[in-house]
């Protein structure tokens, strides 16, 4: 049990530390690398929550594809990688919004404002009963499950891909 | 878990992760000897019998070399990149079975294959970090090519990987091997095996796909500024990755440690026999990779992309759809894979009809491909020749 707490601490530090360093850094490539650290911490949380499939997908999609494309785009704009001026003029507004959101979530977790949240403490579904990869797959294609959001998401992604190709294509 | 147990576990993990790195030492010797034979040379033959100690001498040289970090590099990222490059390969070994025994696998993850693909993608990141942090034009160009190449070839790799998963009904490598007791998946999906082999060759950046280190254009590619053991780590990582791909092909398509006389969790001699079988199978693919590397010229970047997106990806999608369709049809007809539960209990002759159907499906797909692309290529060549004759 102690090992789990230590692991939670490490992942939390990676996620939050990475996120803070991401907005703090003046170097865009460093920011992208900190983003990867933060995403990696999130993958760790999925492992701790007995959702290995989500953890692997997190690493594969967010780190293996999206973050790498981020870095690729940033590397193409080399003059942007060493910025010394801070050009975010809404720092305090952002900090206020972020702080308020954080407090809202914290209150929601501690106090039963939006319905009871006792299930967090007891009667948690165990991984052996629910969260196998097969179950996720079946949920994604079954009519009672998430087939509609799944298909909508794929249409959206296809549309985005076609749009990108049309924009990038040289006019004939 | 007591502190002593934790320490023991840590030692096991450390020892286990050293294995792929140690494996690189004999592999370098094999590589140099085979390359020398193909090029009609002797290869290393001075240090030790048949030059066997040569890679160890090279390693000592690399370790004792001065550790240079050029001015203008991004120091932290520059030093992290080679470590991450090796780590991505070492992490893959955590879920790869090394023998017919449940204790000979790091963790038998439920999502084994997916995990391996996920951590392998960290290698791409390492190469990009190396290319960017070196502050060198050639290194950066090398890194650009890596993104294009590795991200593209991951698509057919994963699509062909899905076919053994589809047959075995599990993402765990150990389950996939056990499911091949009666029939190896290579007979059911030879096309998927070929696509996997080609994309794995591209994933490791070996010839004819070694554009990321094209010496004649990029001097050395992404690792141009690295020297000493940092360069050595990239090198060791690449060799270990090629060997790991050999293991993966052996496990996914050739039944891994399956063979006559091997039982799962059997006596010690059966375990040894199983290890021998799978190393033998993996070596075949390693050798084929070496032959390919040393006998074909490098492709151009546009050919590389065309080959992937206009040839490999359509084929692997078509192959996957066709295979899934045939699996469903044979299941409905009553002699499919689903009628044997578990699959490991089915014998060779029981699985022969379904294998025949799947194999014929592969042949049909191959015939369609050869027909379509063959005609297309012939037309292209004729146009080029006509233009050349016109001049």
């Amino acid at each position: 049990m102690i090992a789990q707490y230590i692991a939670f601490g490490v992942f939390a530090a990676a996620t939050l530390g990475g996120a803070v360093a991401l907005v703090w850094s003046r170097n865009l490539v460093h920011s992208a690398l900190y983003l990867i650290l933060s995403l990696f911490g999130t993958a760790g949380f999925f492992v701790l929550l007995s959702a290995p499939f989500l953890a692997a997908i997190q690493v594969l999609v967010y780190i293996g594809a999206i973050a790498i494309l981020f870095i690729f785009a940033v590397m193409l704009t080399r003059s942007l990688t060493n910025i010394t001026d801070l050009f975010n003029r809404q720092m305090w507004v952002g900090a206020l919004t972020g702080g308020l959101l954080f407090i809202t979530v914290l209150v929601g977790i501690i106090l039963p404002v939006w319905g009871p949240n006792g299930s967090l403490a007891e009667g948690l579904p165990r991984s052996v009963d629910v969260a196998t990869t097969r179950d996720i797959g079946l949920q994604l294609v079954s009519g009672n499950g998430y087939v509609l959001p799944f298909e909508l998401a794929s249409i959206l992604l296809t549309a985005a891909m076609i749009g990108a190709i049309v924009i990038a294509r040289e006019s004939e | 878990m007591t502190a002593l147990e934790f320490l023991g576990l840590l030692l096991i993990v450390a020892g286990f992760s050293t294995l792929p790195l140690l494996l690189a030492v004999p592999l370098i010797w094999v590589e140099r000897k085979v390359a020398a034979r193909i090029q009609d040379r002797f290869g290393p033959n001075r240090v030790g019998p048949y030059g066997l100690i040569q890679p160890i001498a090279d390693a000592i040289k690399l370790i004792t070399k001065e550790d240079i970090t050029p001015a203008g590099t991004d120091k932290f990222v520059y030093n992290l990149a080679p470590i991450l490059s090796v780590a991505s390969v070492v992490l893959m070994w955590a879920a790869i079975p090394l023998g017919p025994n449940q204790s000979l696998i790091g963790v038998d993850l439920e999502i084994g294959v997916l995990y391996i693909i996920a951590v392998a993608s960290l290698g791409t990141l390492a190469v990009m970090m190396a290319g960017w942090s070196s502050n060198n034009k050639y290194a950066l160009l090398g890194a650009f090519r890596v993104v294009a190449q590795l991200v593209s070839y991951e698509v057919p790799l994963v699509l062909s990987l899905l076919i053994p998963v589809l047959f075995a009904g599990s993402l765990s490598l150990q389950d996939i091997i056990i499911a091949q007791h009666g029939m190896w998946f290579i007979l059911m999906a030879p096309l998927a095996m070929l696509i996997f082999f080609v994309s794995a060759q591209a994933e490791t950046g070996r010839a004819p796909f070694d554009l990321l280190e094209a010496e004649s254009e990029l001097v050395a590619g992404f690792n141009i500024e690295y020297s000493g053991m940092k360069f050595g780590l990239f090198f060791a990582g690449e060799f270990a990755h090629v060997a790991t791909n050999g293991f993966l092909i052996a496990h996914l398509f050739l039944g891994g440690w399956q063979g006559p006389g091997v039982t799962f969790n059997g006596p010690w001699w059966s375990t040894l026999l199983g290890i021998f079988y799978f190393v033998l199978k993996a070596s075949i693919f390693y050798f084929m990779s070496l032959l390919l590397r040393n006998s074909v010229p490098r492709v151009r970047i546009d050919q590389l992309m065309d080959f992937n997106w206009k040839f490999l990806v359509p084929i692997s999608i078509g192959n996957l759809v066709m295979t899934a369709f045939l699996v469903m049809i044979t299941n409905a007809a009553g002699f499919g894979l689903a009628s044997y539960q578990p699959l490991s209990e089915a014998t060779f002759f029981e699985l022969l009809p379904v294998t025949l159907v799947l194999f014929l499906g592969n042949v049909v797909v191959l015939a369609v491909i050869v027909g379509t692309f063959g005609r297309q290529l012939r037309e292209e060549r004729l146009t080029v020749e006509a233009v050349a004759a016109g001049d």
Side-chain angles (χ1 to χ4, degrees):
Chain A
M1 229 20 219
I2 299 238
Q4 265 191 22
Y5 286 126
I6 295 173
F8 180 82
V10 171
F11 292 139
T15 312
L16 292 178
V20 168
L22 157 69
V23 286
W24 212 265
S25 170
R26 298 279 172 94
N27 187 320
L28 272 179
V29 175
H30 284 181
S31 287
L33 292 175
Y34 284 126
L35 174 68
I36 288 170
L37 180 70
S38 187
L39 293 171
F40 211 85
T42 320
F45 286 134
F46 284 135
V47 173
L48 283 182
L49 290 169
S50 307
F53 180 76
L54 280 182
I57 291 294
Q58 170 89 8
V59 173
L60 191 63
V61 173
Y62 284 93
I63 298 177
I66 293 181
I68 284 186
L69 286 182
F70 273 180
I71 300 185
F72 189 60
V74 168
M75 285 203 311
L76 282 171
T77 55
R78 196 168 175 91
S79 56
L80 278 178
T81 50
N82 278 309
I83 300 163
T84 44
D85 300 336
L86 201 65
F87 56 77
N88 182 1
R89 309 234 173 272
Q90 293 117 18
M91 202 164 78
W92 294 109
V93 181
L96 195 71
T97 319
L100 272 178
L101 268 176
F102 182 69
I103 290 168
T104 318
V105 171
L106 211 62
V107 166
I109 289 170
I110 297 166
L111 300 172
V113 219
W114 298 290
N117 45 21
S119 62
L120 280 175
E122 64 207 65
L124 263 180
R126 285 185 301 128
S127 59
V128 277
D129 298 329
V130 281
T132 67
T133 312
R134 187 183 292 270
D135 289 335
I136 296 174
L138 287 175
Q139 280 294 311
L140 282 180
V141 291
S142 81
N144 301 324
Y146 298 94
V147 68
L148 194 65
F150 181 68
E151 293 297 333
L152 280 179
S154 36
I155 289 173
L156 186 71
L157 287 175
T158 314
M161 194 170 77
I162 293 171
I165 292 171
V166 168
I167 292 171
R169 209 171 129 173
E170 291 167 27
S171 52
E172 284 154 18
Chain B
M1 194 191 291
T2 64
L4 205 66
E5 274 177 73
F6 182 73
L7 209 66
L9 201 66
L10 205 67
L11 274 178
I12 292 173
V13 170
F16 201 77
S17 358
T18 320
L19 212 62
L21 292 181
L22 285 180
L23 193 72
V25 172
L27 287 182
I28 290 171
W29 179 82
V30 172
E31 169 106 22
R32 292 183 62 178
K33 272 290 185 196
V34 171
R37 277 291 154 201
I38 293 171
Q39 295 160 1
D40 205 13
R41 295 183 284 120
F42 283 114
N45 61 355
R46 297 284 152 182
V47 194
Y50 304 105
L52 264 171
I53 322 258
Q54 184 67 45
I56 297 174
D58 288 346
I60 292 171
K61 188 203 83 176
L62 281 175
I63 291 169
T64 51
K65 261 180 105 167
E66 189 193 348
D67 179 43
I68 301 169
T69 307
T73 57
D74 195 311
K75 283 206 177 49
F76 183 70
V77 181
Y78 178 84
N79 289 325
L80 190 64
I83 300 170
L84 203 64
S85 164
V86 171
S88 83
V89 179
V90 171
L91 280 172
M92 285 163 86
W93 277 55
I96 292 181
L98 296 177
N101 196 306
Q102 202 52 44
S103 61
L104 279 174
I105 173 169
V107 266
D108 191 10
L109 286 175
E110 183 205 328
I111 48 143
V113 177
L114 202 63
Y115 166 83
I116 287 169
I117 295 295
V119 293
S121 67
L122 292 180
T124 319
L125 190 65
V127 175
M128 291 200 55
M129 283 163 71
W132 177 77
S133 66
S134 295
N135 199 7
N136 179 308
K137 281 193 191 67
Y138 294 113
L140 196 65
L141 278 173
F144 280 154
R145 290 183 172 190
V146 172
V147 186
Q149 179 178 340
L150 299 195
V151 172
S152 307
Y153 277 83
E154 222 167 50
V155 177
L157 188 85
V158 172
L159 284 174
S160 54
L161 194 79
L162 278 176
I163 287 172
V165 173
L166 185 79
F167 291 153
S170 168
L171 283 164
S172 151
L173 265 180
Q174 196 76 284
D175 285 355
I176 291 175
I177 296 170
I178 292 170
Q180 296 179 68
H181 181 71
M183 181 75 78
W184 292 355
F185 289 159
I186 187 178
L187 292 170
M188 299 185 189
L191 208 55
M193 203 271 309
L194 275 176
I195 297 170
F196 188 89
F197 178 68
V198 172
S199 345
Q201 185 86 355
E203 278 288 301
T204 46
R206 305 212 115 194
F209 307 108
D210 58 346
L211 281 158
L212 54 149
E213 44 194 37
E215 293 90 349
S216 47
E217 307 155 29
L218 292 173
V219 190
F222 68 91
N223 55 21
I224 183 167
E225 294 285 359
Y226 286 85
S227 64
M229 203 51 211
K230 281 184 213 156
F231 170 76
L233 280 179
F234 278 120
F235 212 63
E238 187 196 315
F239 273 84
H241 198 169
V242 179
T244 313
N245 278 333
F247 287 176
L248 274 180
I249 298 179
H251 284 335
L252 289 169
F253 294 100
L254 290 181
W257 39 257
Q258 300 271 17
V262 179
T263 45
F264 189 56
N265 287 336
W268 63 270
W269 53 265
S270 130
T271 306
L272 275 186
L273 202 63
I275 294 174
F276 171 73
Y277 283 144
F278 104 79
V279 170
L280 188 74
K281 291 169 188 171
S283 314
I284 295 171
F285 283 100
Y286 191 78
F287 188 69
M288 273 164 60
S289 161
L290 281 188
L291 275 183
L292 200 65
R293 184 186 193 191
N294 286 299
S295 49
V296 281
R298 183 179 300 136
V299 295
R300 275 198 328 259
I301 187 89
D302 60 318
Q303 293 170 332
L304 182 89
M305 286 294 133
D306 279 359
F307 181 64
N308 181 60
W309 291 109
K310 296 182 185 166
F311 188 73
L312 279 184
V313 171
I315 292 176
S316 40
I317 292 174
N319 191 26
L320 182 65
V321 171
M322 188 272 311
T323 308
F325 178 70
L326 284 182
V327 165
M328 291 303 282
I329 291 277
T330 49
N331 281 343
F335 62 96
L337 294 166
S339 41
Y340 306 102
Q341 283 301 340
L343 198 57
S344 54
E345 302 284 310
T347 61
F348 179 79
F349 291 105
E350 279 174 339
L351 287 172
L352 209 53
V354 61
T355 308
L356 216 62
V357 170
L358 288 168
F359 188 82
L360 283 177
N362 269 280
V363 171
V364 169
V365 170
L366 199 68
V368 171
I369 295 159
V370 171
T372 327
F373 286 92
R375 199 179 311 123
Q376 203 178 322
L377 286 175
R378 196 162 50 241
E379 276 164 14
E380 259 174 42
R381 200 180 60 235
L382 285 177
T383 347
V384 170
E385 276 169 8
V387 169
D391 291 338

